């Protein structure tokens, strides 16, 4: 069974940093576009960013609110995805979902979701 | 700020048909396929419909999707109590800020 397990969430002060990890099992994330999605308390889903496969140059794309502050990376040898979050703001408070698009196209959607890890930015 | 607009809520009695709309633009729905996600209370979202109207294995055929131009819709026929959830449409978007994946504003479905 395909599974994604996030870790690293917690409480951080505004301006601080946090790194989230996501371990994949049941499939190789080397063959997937890996995507972070977040959901603020009581709000809808928000795409954070994506990292393409190694053969695609591990190209990254980010949503405007996090561009320049968040960095997504992957270690295919460890089957693990990361997001380094710097200069955190209170509006970054959310549940962060690690997700995978194993079809690596724009047509088929995000087919694997983690259970989420909570990030709270507060003084 | 989402660029895909959905009604905030929808409801129906068991057995009824409920339809949820999703309005976008030429840079997203007009250019890419639409996906739908179901988020049951307290859980992570799940892919419900992909490529406008296709169901992943295990999704009941009560759920169907369609698209026309820059709008899409999700229909739930034979509504059941376990369908109470939040539903989100989504599509890739070629915005001025660069490519990205946009979600709809979300629709809360209540079974009366």
């Amino acid at each position: 069974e395909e599974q994604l397990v996030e870790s690293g969430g917690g409480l951080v002060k505004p301006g601080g940093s946090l790194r989230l990890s996501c371990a994949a099992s049941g499939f190789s994330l080397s063959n997937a576009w890996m995507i972070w999605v977040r959901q603020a308390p009581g709000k809808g889903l928000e795409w954070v960013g994506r990292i393409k496969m190694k053969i695609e140059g591990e190209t990254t794309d980010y949503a405007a609110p996090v561009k320049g502050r968040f960095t997504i990376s992957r270690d295919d040898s460890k089957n693990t995805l990361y997001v380094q979050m710097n200069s955190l703001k209170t509006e970054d408070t959310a549940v962060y979902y690690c997700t995978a698009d194993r079809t690596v196209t724009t047509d088929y959607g995000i087919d694997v979701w983690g259970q989420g890890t909570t990030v709270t930015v507060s003084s | 700020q989402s660029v895909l607009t959905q009604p905030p809520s929808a409801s129906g009695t068991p057995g009824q048909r409920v339809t949820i709309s999703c309005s976008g633009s030429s840079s997203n729905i007009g250019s890419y396929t639409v996906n739908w996600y179901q988020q049951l209370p307290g859980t992570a979202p799940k892919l419900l419909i992909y490529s406008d109207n296709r169901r992943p294995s295990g999704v009941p055929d009560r759920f169907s999707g369609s698209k026309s131009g820059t709008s899409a819709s999700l229909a739930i026929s034979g509504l059941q109590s376990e369908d109470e959830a939040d539903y989100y449409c989504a599509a890739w978007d070629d915005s001025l800020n660069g490519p990205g994946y946009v979600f709809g504003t979300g629709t809360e479905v209540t079974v009366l």
Side-chain angles (χ1 to χ4, degrees), chain B residues 1 5-6 12 21 49 55 57 62-63 65 67 72 82 87 90 96 99 105 110:
Chain B
Q1 182 176 345
T5 303
Q6 300 177 232
S21 61
I49 297 287
R55 287 184 305 277
S57 172
R62 303 184 289 105
F63 296 94
K67 187 179 89 169
E82 56 260 39
Y87 294 84
L96 292 176
T105 48
T110 302

Side-chain angles (χ1 to χ4, degrees), chain A:
Chain A
E1 180 191 2
E2 302 86 8
Q3 196 172 11
L4 294 169
V5 178
E6 305 93 338
S7 59
L11 175 63
V12 61
K13 287 182 168 51
S17 298
L18 206 60
R19 187 176 87 151
L20 305 183
S21 300
C22 169
S25 61
F27 74 102
S28 173
L29 61 75
S30 65
N31 299 320
W33 288 349
M34 299 304 296
I35 297 160
W36 287 98
V37 175
R38 68 184 182 182
Q39 186 169 35
K43 302 296 184 182
L45 302 173
E46 181 183 22
W47 183 84
V48 173
R50 168 192 65 177
I51 185 166
K52 289 187 172 181
M53 299 185 295
K54 188 170 186 175
I55 60 172
E56 297 174 297
E58 296 187 356
T59 305
T60 52
D61 298 290
Y62 298 95
V66 307
K67 206 167 189 177
R69 300 188 298 121
F70 288 17
T71 302
I72 298 174
S73 60
R74 60 195 298 159
D75 186 338
D76 292 349
S77 66
K78 295 182 179 179
N79 223 24
T80 301
L81 175 74
Y82 306 96
V83 58
Q84 176 67 41
M85 305 185 294
N86 298 331
S87 303
L88 282 162
K89 306 175 181 180
T90 55
E91 52 264 41
D92 294 319
T93 294
V95 173
Y96 284 74
Y97 293 103
C98 169
T99 75
D101 178 349
R102 293 178 297 168
T103 64
V104 296
T105 75
T106 56
D107 293 337
Y108 296 105
I110 298 171
D111 60 323
V112 186
W113 291 72
Q115 85 288 351
T117 187
T118 300
V119 172
T120 302
V121 184
S122 174
S123 54

Side-chain angles (χ1 to χ4, degrees), chain A residues 45, chain B residues 2-7 20-24 28-29 33-38 49 71-74 86-92 101-107:
Chain A
L45 302 173
Chain B
S2 176
V3 296
L4 302 182
T5 303
Q6 300 177 232
I20 301 168
S21 61
C22 173
S23 178
N28 41 67
I29 294 177
T33 62
V34 176
N35 307 304
W36 289 89
Y37 299 88
Q38 177 193 57
I49 297 287
S71 294
S73 63
L74 173 72
D86 293 326
Y87 294 84
Y88 297 90
C89 60
W92 282 94
Y101 194 65
V102 289
F103 288 95
T105 48
T107 299

Side-chain angles (χ1 to χ4, degrees), chain B residues 9-29:
Chain B
S9 63
S11 63
T13 56
Q16 275 190 328
R17 176 183 171 92
V18 169
T19 302
I20 301 168
S21 61
C22 173
S23 178
S25 68
S26 58
S27 68
N28 41 67
I29 294 177

